[in-house]
Amino acid sequence: MSKKFDPVAALADSRHEFGEHGGVNLSIEASTTFTVMAADEMPKIFRGERGPFSMQARNATGGCYLYGRNFNPTVYTFGRMLAAMEGTEAGYATASGLGAISAVLMQFCNSGDQIVASKTIYGGTFALLKEFFPLKTGVTTTFVDLGKPEEVEAALQATKAKVLYIESIANPTLEVADIPALAEIAHRHGAALIVDNTFAPMILSPVRLGADVVIHSVTKYISGASDVIAGAVCGSEAFVYSLMDLHVGALMLLGPTMDPKIAHELTLRLPHLGLRMREHSARALAFAQRLADRGAKVCYPGLGSHPHHELLTRQMNDGFGFGGLFTLDLGSVERANRLMEILQNQHSFGFMAVSLGYFETLMSCSGSSTSSELTEAEQKAAGISPGLIRISIGLTGSLEQRWTQMLDALNQVDRQLGSQ
Ligand SMILES: *Cc1c(COP(=O)(O)O)cnc(C)c1O
Protein backbone atom coordinates (compact mmCIF):
# COMPACT_ATOMS: atom_id res chain seq x y z
CA MET A 1 0.00 0.00 0.00
CA SER A 2 1.42 3.35 -0.98
CA LYS A 3 1.25 6.05 1.64
CA LYS A 4 -1.63 8.50 1.27
CA PHE A 5 -0.77 11.71 -0.56
CA ASP A 6 -0.66 14.84 1.61
CA PRO A 7 -1.12 17.96 -0.57
CA VAL A 8 -0.36 20.32 2.32
CA ALA A 9 3.00 18.65 3.00
CA ALA A 10 3.79 18.58 -0.73
CA LEU A 11 2.95 22.26 -1.07
CA ALA A 12 5.12 23.16 1.94
CA ASP A 13 8.06 21.28 0.41
CA SER A 14 7.81 23.24 -2.85
CA ARG A 15 8.65 26.57 -1.21
CA HIS A 16 9.15 29.35 -3.72
CA GLU A 17 12.34 31.37 -4.10
CA PHE A 18 12.97 34.49 -2.00
CA GLY A 19 11.86 37.90 -3.22
CA GLU A 20 14.33 40.02 -5.14
CA HIS A 21 15.77 41.67 -1.98
CA GLY A 22 15.48 38.64 0.27
CA GLY A 23 11.75 39.24 0.78
CA VAL A 24 9.76 36.43 2.34
CA ASN A 25 7.25 36.77 -0.49
CA LEU A 26 7.94 36.22 -4.13
CA SER A 27 8.77 39.25 -6.29
CA ILE A 28 6.46 40.05 -9.16
CA GLU A 29 8.16 39.73 -12.54
CA ALA A 30 6.03 42.32 -14.29
CA SER A 31 8.01 42.40 -17.53
CA THR A 32 6.38 41.32 -20.75
CA THR A 33 9.71 40.79 -22.49
CA PHE A 34 13.08 39.41 -21.40
CA THR A 35 16.67 40.09 -22.39
CA VAL A 36 19.30 37.60 -23.43
CA MET A 37 22.96 38.12 -22.52
CA ALA A 38 24.23 36.95 -25.89
CA ALA A 39 22.48 37.57 -29.19
CA ASP A 40 22.83 33.94 -30.29
CA GLU A 41 20.67 32.81 -27.34
CA MET A 42 17.54 34.23 -29.01
CA PRO A 43 17.31 31.70 -31.87
CA LYS A 44 17.79 28.86 -29.37
CA ILE A 45 14.74 30.05 -27.42
CA PHE A 46 12.70 30.15 -30.62
CA ARG A 47 13.84 26.64 -31.51
CA GLY A 48 12.68 25.46 -28.05
CA GLU A 49 16.21 24.57 -26.99
CA ARG A 50 16.03 26.96 -24.05
CA GLY A 51 13.11 27.70 -21.76
CA PRO A 52 11.93 26.92 -18.24
CA PHE A 53 10.11 23.71 -19.15
CA SER A 54 12.13 22.41 -22.10
CA MET A 55 13.86 19.09 -21.57
CA GLN A 56 17.05 20.60 -23.00
CA ALA A 57 16.92 23.43 -20.46
CA ARG A 58 17.47 20.92 -17.68
CA ASN A 59 21.01 20.48 -18.95
CA ALA A 60 21.52 24.11 -19.87
CA THR A 61 22.70 26.78 -17.47
CA GLY A 62 19.40 28.22 -16.21
CA GLY A 63 16.09 28.66 -17.94
CA CYS A 64 15.31 31.44 -20.37
CA TYR A 65 12.18 33.47 -20.66
CA LEU A 66 10.95 34.96 -23.90
CA TYR A 67 7.71 36.88 -23.79
CA GLY A 68 4.89 37.28 -21.24
CA ARG A 69 2.28 35.29 -23.19
CA ASN A 70 4.74 32.41 -23.10
CA PHE A 71 6.11 31.44 -19.67
CA ASN A 72 6.42 34.19 -17.06
CA PRO A 73 8.57 33.48 -13.94
CA THR A 74 5.91 34.55 -11.42
CA VAL A 75 3.12 32.62 -13.12
CA TYR A 76 5.55 29.70 -13.46
CA THR A 77 6.17 29.74 -9.71
CA PHE A 78 2.44 29.75 -8.99
CA GLY A 79 2.12 26.87 -11.47
CA ARG A 80 4.87 24.97 -9.63
CA MET A 81 3.00 25.43 -6.34
CA LEU A 82 -0.20 24.10 -7.92
CA ALA A 83 1.70 21.16 -9.38
CA ALA A 84 3.11 20.36 -5.93
CA MET A 85 -0.39 20.46 -4.46
CA GLU A 86 -1.70 18.13 -7.20
CA GLY A 87 1.33 15.85 -7.13
CA THR A 88 2.13 16.43 -10.82
CA GLU A 89 5.37 17.15 -12.65
CA ALA A 90 4.32 20.57 -13.85
CA GLY A 91 1.54 23.13 -13.80
CA TYR A 92 0.70 26.49 -15.31
CA ALA A 93 -1.96 29.08 -14.68
CA THR A 94 -4.46 30.56 -17.11
CA ALA A 95 -6.70 33.61 -17.34
CA SER A 96 -9.82 31.57 -16.46
CA GLY A 97 -11.01 28.05 -15.80
CA LEU A 98 -12.63 27.87 -19.21
CA GLY A 99 -9.41 29.21 -20.75
CA ALA A 100 -7.66 26.18 -19.24
CA ILE A 101 -10.38 23.75 -20.33
CA SER A 102 -10.54 24.95 -23.94
CA ALA A 103 -6.75 25.11 -24.29
CA VAL A 104 -6.25 21.61 -22.87
CA LEU A 105 -8.96 20.06 -25.04
CA MET A 106 -7.70 21.80 -28.18
CA GLN A 107 -4.19 20.59 -27.39
CA PHE A 108 -5.41 16.98 -27.20
CA CYS A 109 -7.84 17.07 -30.13
CA ASN A 110 -7.36 17.82 -33.81
CA SER A 111 -10.28 18.57 -36.10
CA GLY A 112 -12.43 15.47 -36.50
CA ASP A 113 -11.29 13.93 -33.20
CA GLN A 114 -13.83 12.95 -30.61
CA ILE A 115 -14.31 13.45 -26.89
CA VAL A 116 -16.30 11.40 -24.40
CA ALA A 117 -17.53 13.52 -21.48
CA SER A 118 -19.69 13.17 -18.44
CA LYS A 119 -23.19 14.51 -19.02
CA THR A 120 -23.08 16.15 -15.57
CA ILE A 121 -20.58 18.94 -16.05
CA TYR A 122 -20.33 22.71 -15.58
CA GLY A 123 -22.76 24.52 -17.91
CA GLY A 124 -20.04 26.50 -19.68
CA THR A 125 -18.01 23.36 -20.39
CA PHE A 126 -21.16 21.64 -21.64
CA ALA A 127 -21.86 24.51 -24.05
CA LEU A 128 -18.22 24.46 -25.22
CA LEU A 129 -18.37 20.74 -26.00
CA LYS A 130 -21.92 20.52 -27.31
CA GLU A 131 -22.19 23.73 -29.36
CA PHE A 132 -18.92 25.56 -29.82
CA PHE A 133 -16.45 22.78 -30.62
CA PRO A 134 -18.57 21.00 -33.28
CA LEU A 135 -19.34 24.33 -34.94
CA LYS A 136 -15.85 25.83 -34.84
CA THR A 137 -13.43 22.90 -34.75
CA GLY A 138 -15.28 19.76 -35.88
CA VAL A 139 -14.44 18.12 -32.54
CA THR A 140 -17.55 16.31 -31.34
CA THR A 141 -18.49 14.95 -27.92
CA THR A 142 -20.49 11.95 -26.75
CA PHE A 143 -22.02 12.54 -23.32
CA VAL A 144 -22.21 9.59 -20.95
CA ASP A 145 -23.40 8.66 -17.48
CA LEU A 146 -20.28 8.08 -15.35
CA GLY A 147 -22.33 5.88 -13.06
CA LYS A 148 -22.54 3.36 -15.93
CA PRO A 149 -18.97 2.22 -16.71
CA GLU A 150 -20.24 0.02 -19.57
CA GLU A 151 -21.72 3.14 -21.23
CA VAL A 152 -18.38 4.97 -20.85
CA GLU A 153 -16.51 1.99 -22.27
CA ALA A 154 -18.90 1.58 -25.22
CA ALA A 155 -18.63 5.28 -26.10
CA LEU A 156 -14.82 5.23 -25.95
CA GLN A 157 -14.76 2.12 -28.13
CA ALA A 158 -17.26 3.42 -30.68
CA THR A 159 -15.72 6.89 -31.04
CA LYS A 160 -12.00 6.10 -30.53
CA ALA A 161 -12.05 9.29 -28.45
CA LYS A 162 -8.79 11.07 -27.60
CA VAL A 163 -10.13 12.27 -24.27
CA LEU A 164 -12.39 11.21 -21.44
CA TYR A 165 -13.44 14.44 -19.72
CA ILE A 166 -14.95 14.44 -16.24
CA GLU A 167 -15.35 16.48 -13.06
CA SER A 168 -14.04 14.94 -9.81
CA ILE A 169 -17.19 16.03 -7.98
CA ALA A 170 -19.85 17.09 -10.45
CA ASN A 171 -21.64 20.39 -10.70
CA PRO A 172 -24.33 20.63 -9.33
CA THR A 173 -25.44 17.11 -8.42
CA LEU A 174 -22.29 16.31 -6.40
CA GLU A 175 -21.80 12.94 -8.05
CA VAL A 176 -18.34 11.60 -7.35
CA ALA A 177 -16.27 10.10 -10.16
CA ASP A 178 -14.48 6.79 -9.66
CA ILE A 179 -11.18 8.20 -10.93
CA PRO A 180 -9.02 5.01 -10.74
CA ALA A 181 -11.68 2.96 -12.56
CA LEU A 182 -12.28 5.63 -15.21
CA ALA A 183 -8.53 6.08 -15.74
CA GLU A 184 -8.18 2.34 -16.33
CA ILE A 185 -11.04 2.32 -18.86
CA ALA A 186 -9.76 5.44 -20.65
CA HIS A 187 -6.18 4.18 -20.90
CA ARG A 188 -7.29 0.76 -22.13
CA HIS A 189 -8.97 2.57 -25.06
CA GLY A 190 -6.05 4.93 -25.71
CA ALA A 191 -7.77 8.02 -24.29
CA ALA A 192 -6.40 10.50 -21.78
CA LEU A 193 -8.39 11.15 -18.61
CA ILE A 194 -8.82 14.88 -17.95
CA VAL A 195 -10.34 15.87 -14.62
CA ASP A 196 -11.82 19.23 -13.63
CA ASN A 197 -11.04 19.29 -9.89
CA THR A 198 -12.58 22.71 -9.15
CA PHE A 199 -14.96 21.37 -6.47
CA ALA A 200 -12.36 19.39 -4.57
CA PRO A 201 -8.90 20.99 -4.34
CA MET A 202 -6.79 19.32 -1.60
CA ILE A 203 -9.60 16.79 -1.05
CA LEU A 204 -8.90 14.83 -4.23
CA SER A 205 -5.63 14.51 -6.16
CA PRO A 206 -6.82 13.12 -9.52
CA VAL A 207 -3.39 12.55 -11.11
CA ARG A 208 -2.32 10.56 -8.05
CA LEU A 209 -5.44 8.48 -8.64
CA GLY A 210 -4.59 7.78 -12.29
CA ALA A 211 -5.75 10.83 -14.31
CA ASP A 212 -3.47 12.45 -16.90
CA VAL A 213 -4.33 16.12 -16.55
CA VAL A 214 -6.04 18.16 -13.81
CA ILE A 215 -7.79 21.45 -14.47
CA HIS A 216 -9.00 24.03 -11.95
CA SER A 217 -11.20 27.04 -12.08
CA VAL A 218 -8.91 28.92 -9.67
CA THR A 219 -11.72 31.49 -9.52
CA LYS A 220 -13.40 29.30 -6.90
CA TYR A 221 -11.76 27.75 -3.80
CA ILE A 222 -8.12 28.42 -4.70
CA SER A 223 -8.78 32.16 -4.88
CA GLY A 224 -11.37 32.00 -2.11
CA ALA A 225 -12.33 35.68 -2.32
CA SER A 226 -14.56 35.88 -5.43
CA ASP A 227 -12.40 38.70 -6.77
CA VAL A 228 -10.30 37.04 -9.48
CA ILE A 229 -11.11 34.99 -12.58
CA ALA A 230 -8.34 32.42 -13.05
CA GLY A 231 -7.60 28.84 -14.05
CA ALA A 232 -4.87 26.23 -13.99
CA VAL A 233 -3.59 23.09 -15.71
CA CYS A 234 -1.46 20.43 -13.99
CA GLY A 235 0.06 17.39 -15.64
CA SER A 236 3.27 16.06 -17.12
CA GLU A 237 6.08 18.45 -17.95
CA ALA A 238 5.85 17.43 -21.61
CA PHE A 239 2.14 18.23 -21.77
CA VAL A 240 2.38 21.58 -19.97
CA TYR A 241 5.29 22.54 -22.20
CA SER A 242 3.31 21.56 -25.31
CA LEU A 243 0.65 24.14 -24.36
CA MET A 244 3.32 26.83 -24.80
CA ASP A 245 4.77 25.55 -28.07
CA LEU A 246 5.43 28.52 -30.33
CA HIS A 247 3.89 26.78 -33.34
CA VAL A 248 1.11 24.55 -32.02
CA GLY A 249 0.62 25.45 -28.33
CA ALA A 250 -2.99 26.28 -27.46
CA LEU A 251 -2.10 28.52 -24.50
CA MET A 252 0.60 30.35 -26.43
CA LEU A 253 -1.49 30.86 -29.56
CA LEU A 254 -5.00 31.36 -28.19
CA GLY A 255 -3.49 33.49 -25.45
CA PRO A 256 -5.49 32.92 -22.23
CA THR A 257 -2.43 33.13 -19.96
CA MET A 258 -2.46 34.58 -16.45
CA ASP A 259 -1.19 38.04 -15.52
CA PRO A 260 1.84 37.85 -13.15
CA LYS A 261 0.25 40.31 -10.70
CA ILE A 262 -2.71 37.95 -10.32
CA ALA A 263 -0.37 34.96 -10.00
CA HIS A 264 1.52 36.74 -7.22
CA GLU A 265 -1.69 37.41 -5.30
CA LEU A 266 -2.73 33.81 -5.63
CA THR A 267 0.64 32.55 -4.30
CA LEU A 268 -0.34 34.32 -1.04
CA ARG A 269 -3.64 32.42 -0.84
CA LEU A 270 -2.52 28.90 -1.66
CA PRO A 271 -0.79 28.42 1.74
CA HIS A 272 -4.13 28.69 3.59
CA LEU A 273 -6.24 26.74 1.07
CA GLY A 274 -5.95 23.60 3.23
CA LEU A 275 -7.27 25.41 6.33
CA ARG A 276 -10.11 26.92 4.33
CA MET A 277 -11.14 23.61 2.76
CA ARG A 278 -11.20 21.98 6.18
CA GLU A 279 -13.52 24.67 7.55
CA HIS A 280 -15.80 24.76 4.46
CA SER A 281 -16.16 20.98 4.73
CA ALA A 282 -16.83 21.00 8.49
CA ARG A 283 -19.59 23.61 8.04
CA ALA A 284 -21.13 21.83 5.06
CA LEU A 285 -21.22 18.52 6.96
CA ALA A 286 -22.87 20.14 10.00
CA PHE A 287 -25.51 21.83 7.82
CA ALA A 288 -26.17 18.71 5.78
CA GLN A 289 -26.60 16.55 8.90
CA ARG A 290 -28.88 19.05 10.64
CA LEU A 291 -30.98 19.61 7.50
CA ALA A 292 -31.30 15.87 6.94
CA ASP A 293 -32.34 15.41 10.60
CA ARG A 294 -35.03 18.01 9.99
CA GLY A 295 -36.34 15.93 7.07
CA ALA A 296 -35.05 18.21 4.30
CA LYS A 297 -34.04 16.82 0.90
CA VAL A 298 -30.33 17.47 1.17
CA CYS A 299 -27.56 16.04 -0.92
CA TYR A 300 -23.97 16.00 0.40
CA PRO A 301 -21.30 13.37 -0.26
CA GLY A 302 -20.28 13.54 3.41
CA LEU A 303 -23.59 11.98 4.43
CA GLY A 304 -23.76 8.20 4.71
CA SER A 305 -27.01 8.39 2.71
CA HIS A 306 -25.22 9.84 -0.35
CA PRO A 307 -24.82 7.13 -3.02
CA HIS A 308 -21.15 8.04 -3.51
CA HIS A 309 -20.15 8.45 0.13
CA GLU A 310 -18.03 5.29 0.15
CA LEU A 311 -16.54 6.07 -3.24
CA LEU A 312 -15.36 9.50 -2.08
CA THR A 313 -14.11 8.17 1.26
CA ARG A 314 -11.97 5.64 -0.59
CA GLN A 315 -10.33 8.23 -2.87
CA MET A 316 -9.94 11.31 -0.73
CA ASN A 317 -6.87 12.65 1.05
CA ASP A 318 -7.01 12.74 4.85
CA GLY A 319 -8.08 15.82 6.73
CA PHE A 320 -10.00 18.02 4.29
CA GLY A 321 -13.51 16.61 4.60
CA PHE A 322 -16.07 16.12 1.84
CA GLY A 323 -16.15 19.61 0.36
CA GLY A 324 -18.03 22.85 0.91
CA LEU A 325 -21.00 22.31 -1.40
CA PHE A 326 -24.35 20.75 -0.75
CA THR A 327 -27.72 21.00 -2.43
CA LEU A 328 -31.12 21.47 -0.90
CA ASP A 329 -34.23 20.61 -2.90
CA LEU A 330 -37.07 22.90 -1.87
CA GLY A 331 -39.53 21.19 -4.24
CA SER A 332 -40.39 24.25 -6.33
CA VAL A 333 -38.72 27.36 -7.74
CA GLU A 334 -41.08 29.54 -5.63
CA ARG A 335 -40.02 27.96 -2.36
CA ALA A 336 -36.35 27.95 -3.37
CA ASN A 337 -36.41 31.62 -4.35
CA ARG A 338 -38.26 32.63 -1.16
CA LEU A 339 -35.70 30.81 1.02
CA MET A 340 -32.76 32.50 -0.70
CA GLU A 341 -34.41 35.94 -0.49
CA ILE A 342 -35.01 35.58 3.24
CA LEU A 343 -31.46 34.33 3.83
CA GLN A 344 -29.93 37.22 1.90
CA ASN A 345 -32.29 40.12 2.60
CA GLN A 346 -33.46 39.49 6.19
CA HIS A 347 -30.34 37.72 7.43
CA SER A 348 -26.63 38.01 6.74
CA PHE A 349 -26.50 34.31 5.76
CA GLY A 350 -25.13 34.72 2.25
CA PHE A 351 -25.69 35.96 -1.27
CA MET A 352 -27.88 34.91 -4.18
CA ALA A 353 -25.08 34.58 -6.66
CA VAL A 354 -23.54 31.95 -8.89
CA SER A 355 -20.04 30.62 -8.30
CA LEU A 356 -18.54 28.89 -5.27
CA GLY A 357 -15.56 28.76 -2.97
CA TYR A 358 -16.07 32.28 -1.57
CA PHE A 359 -15.51 32.92 2.15
CA GLU A 360 -19.18 34.00 2.30
CA THR A 361 -22.04 31.65 1.46
CA LEU A 362 -23.26 31.70 -2.16
CA MET A 363 -26.64 30.29 -3.16
CA SER A 364 -28.11 29.69 -6.59
CA CYS A 365 -30.91 27.74 -8.19
CA SER A 366 -28.89 25.54 -10.55
CA GLY A 367 -31.67 24.92 -13.08
CA SER A 368 -32.23 28.61 -13.79
CA SER A 369 -28.58 29.73 -13.48
CA THR A 370 -25.34 27.80 -13.93
CA SER A 371 -27.00 24.87 -15.65
CA SER A 372 -29.46 26.89 -17.76
CA GLU A 373 -27.39 26.06 -20.87
CA LEU A 374 -28.95 22.59 -20.50
CA THR A 375 -32.43 22.03 -21.94
CA GLU A 376 -35.20 20.91 -19.59
CA ALA A 377 -34.72 17.30 -20.72
CA GLU A 378 -30.94 17.53 -20.29
CA GLN A 379 -31.42 18.99 -16.79
CA LYS A 380 -33.77 16.15 -15.90
CA ALA A 381 -31.26 13.61 -17.23
CA ALA A 382 -28.54 15.27 -15.12
CA GLY A 383 -30.71 15.13 -11.99
CA ILE A 384 -31.27 18.88 -11.65
CA SER A 385 -34.79 19.63 -10.36
CA PRO A 386 -36.28 23.18 -10.53
CA GLY A 387 -36.29 23.79 -6.74
CA LEU A 388 -32.68 22.65 -6.29
CA ILE A 389 -30.53 25.24 -4.50
CA ARG A 390 -26.78 24.81 -4.64
CA ILE A 391 -25.14 26.17 -1.52
CA SER A 392 -21.44 26.93 -1.32
CA ILE A 393 -21.08 27.33 2.41
CA GLY A 394 -18.92 30.18 3.71
CA LEU A 395 -16.55 30.45 6.66
CA THR A 396 -17.70 33.68 8.27
CA GLY A 397 -19.79 34.01 11.42
CA SER A 398 -20.35 31.14 13.81
CA LEU A 399 -21.96 27.85 12.86
CA GLU A 400 -24.76 28.35 15.43
CA GLN A 401 -25.46 31.88 14.17
CA ARG A 402 -25.76 30.60 10.59
CA TRP A 403 -27.88 27.60 11.57
CA THR A 404 -30.34 29.83 13.48
CA GLN A 405 -30.68 31.97 10.34
CA MET A 406 -31.32 28.90 8.18
CA LEU A 407 -33.92 27.50 10.58
CA ASP A 408 -35.79 30.81 10.68
CA ALA A 409 -35.81 31.04 6.87
CA LEU A 410 -37.06 27.44 6.47
CA ASN A 411 -39.85 28.07 9.00
CA GLN A 412 -40.88 31.28 7.21
CA VAL A 413 -41.04 29.49 3.85
CA ASP A 414 -43.23 26.77 5.36
CA ARG A 415 -45.56 29.38 6.91
CA GLN A 416 -45.80 31.47 3.73
CA LEU A 417 -45.92 28.79 1.03
CA GLY A 418 -46.94 25.65 2.94
CA SER A 419 -44.56 22.85 3.81
CA GLN A 420 -43.12 20.61 1.10
C1 LIG B 1 -16.57 27.94 -12.66
C2 LIG B 1 -16.23 26.64 -13.22
C3 LIG B 1 -15.57 26.53 -14.44
C4 LIG B 1 -15.22 27.72 -15.28
O1 LIG B 1 -14.22 28.49 -14.67
P1 LIG B 1 -14.00 30.06 -14.93
O2 LIG B 1 -12.89 30.38 -14.01
O3 LIG B 1 -15.29 30.74 -14.58
O4 LIG B 1 -13.68 30.22 -16.36
C5 LIG B 1 -15.25 25.26 -14.90
N1 LIG B 1 -15.56 24.16 -14.19
C6 LIG B 1 -16.21 24.23 -13.01
C7 LIG B 1 -16.53 22.97 -12.28
C8 LIG B 1 -16.57 25.46 -12.48
O5 LIG B 1 -17.22 25.53 -11.32
Side-chain angles (χ1 to χ4, degrees):
M1 268 283 288
S2 62
K3 211 166 147 278
K4 268 209 164 175
F5 182 62
D6 181 349
V8 164
L11 186 57
D13 276 342
S14 79
R15 200 172 70 179
H16 59 72
E17 57 264 42
F18 297 113
E20 197 178 1
H21 304 285
V24 293
N25 286 315
L26 192 65
S27 295
I28 305 177
E29 180 49 81
S31 302
T32 57
T33 190
F34 299 85
T35 57
V36 287
M37 288 305 154
D40 68 356
E41 284 294 302
M42 191 70 85
K44 288 185 192 158
I45 297 173
F46 275 89
R47 285 198 301 267
E49 289 163 16
R50 299 291 301 270
F53 276 97
S54 73
M55 301 303 172
Q56 292 91 332
R58 287 177 156 183
N59 304 320
T61 49
C64 285
Y65 292 92
L66 172 64
Y67 179 63
R69 182 163 26 78
N70 195 256
F71 293 115
N72 165 286
T74 313
V75 185
Y76 177 42
T77 300
F78 178 52
R80 273 209 333 247
M81 292 169 77
L82 290 165
M85 174 183 87
E86 287 293 353
T88 61
E89 257 176 34
Y92 207 69
T94 57
S96 70
L98 263 173
I101 293 166
S102 51
V104 166
L105 290 173
M106 291 191 92
Q107 201 63 33
F108 269 101
C109 299
N110 295 326
S111 87
D113 282 345
Q114 303 208 38
I115 295 171
V116 172
S118 165
K119 68 170 86 169
T120 315
I121 48 172
Y122 179 69
T125 312
F126 188 76
L128 180 77
L129 295 178
K130 183 164 178 274
E131 318 275 354
F132 188 92
F133 271 5
L135 201 63
K136 307 285 184 183
T137 69
V139 173
T140 54
T141 298
T142 305
F143 294 95
V144 294
D145 183 345
L146 293 187
K148 297 183 179 135
E150 65 286 355
E151 192 180 317
V152 178
E153 178 127 29
L156 285 169
Q157 194 153 27
T159 60
K160 298 191 168 43
K162 287 276 170 26
V163 165
L164 175 58
Y165 184 89
I166 67 170
E167 291 177 5
S168 54
I169 300 183
N171 184 15
T173 52
L174 309 179
E175 281 173 63
V176 179
D178 188 341
I179 297 169
L182 290 165
E184 190 277 320
I185 297 173
H187 294 158
R188 190 149 37 78
H189 291 279
L193 179 63
I194 301 176
V195 182
D196 178 337
N197 199 28
T198 300
F199 277 38
M202 297 272 171
I203 298 168
L204 288 168
S205 306
V207 167
R208 309 290 298 201
L209 294 165
D212 299 281
V213 175
V214 185
I215 293 172
H216 280 283
S217 169
V218 172
T219 311
K220 315 296 167 55
Y221 284 110
I222 296 175
S223 156
S226 285
D227 62 335
V228 167
I229 297 284
V233 180
C234 296
S236 71
E237 194 177 64
F239 178 69
V240 172
Y241 185 67
S242 77
L243 290 167
M244 283 302 186
D245 188 282
L246 300 188
H247 305 282
V248 289
L251 266 186
M252 179 63 191
L253 297 173
L254 298 174
T257 48
M258 180 180 276
D259 186 281
K261 298 180 186 83
I262 298 289
H264 179 265
E265 250 195 78
L266 292 166
T267 64
L268 304 179
R269 300 183 194 184
L270 211 47
H272 50 68
L273 176 64
L275 290 175
R276 288 187 278 119
M277 291 315 294
R278 206 164 292 178
E279 184 63 17
H280 281 298
S281 292
R283 298 266 183 130
L285 181 63
F287 265 89
Q289 279 168 339
R290 292 177 187 197
L291 285 164
D293 288 347
R294 205 179 170 276
K297 274 173 82 177
V298 58
C299 169
Y300 181 61
L303 294 179
S305 59
H306 191 281
H308 295 159
H309 178 69
E310 293 307 322
L311 183 57
L312 182 52
T313 305
R314 215 183 320 133
Q315 298 181 73
M316 69 192 200
N317 298 317
D318 288 335
F320 305 100
F322 296 88
L325 282 124
F326 62 91
T327 63
L328 185 59
D329 190 349
L330 268 283
S332 70
V333 189
E334 291 70 33
R335 287 171 51 85
N337 288 347
R338 189 68 60 88
L339 184 83
M340 293 191 293
E341 282 172 3
I342 296 167
L343 286 171
Q344 175 182 286
N345 301 334
Q346 291 182 28
H347 296 301
S348 60
F349 185 86
F351 299 106
M352 282 184 275
V354 296
S355 198
L356 56 123
Y358 186 30
F359 54 76
E360 297 287 357
T361 294
L362 299 177
M363 310 171 282
S364 59
C365 242
S366 299
S368 43
S369 61
T370 49
S371 295
S372 58
E373 291 93 332
L374 278 65
T375 65
E376 210 169 302
E378 284 163 348
Q379 289 195 12
K380 209 164 170 208
I384 304 163
S385 62
L388 192 79
I389 304 175
R390 183 183 76 186
I391 299 178
S392 169
I393 204 80
L395 319 158
T396 63
S398 74
L399 174 60
E400 295 316 319
Q401 172 193 21
R402 298 308 189 197
W403 176 244
T404 305
Q405 294 173 334
M406 174 61 88
L407 266 186
D408 176 68
L410 285 168
N411 288 332
Q412 282 197 52
V413 170
D414 284 351
R415 276 202 305 278
Q416 292 168 15
L417 297 171
S419 48
Q420 215 167 330

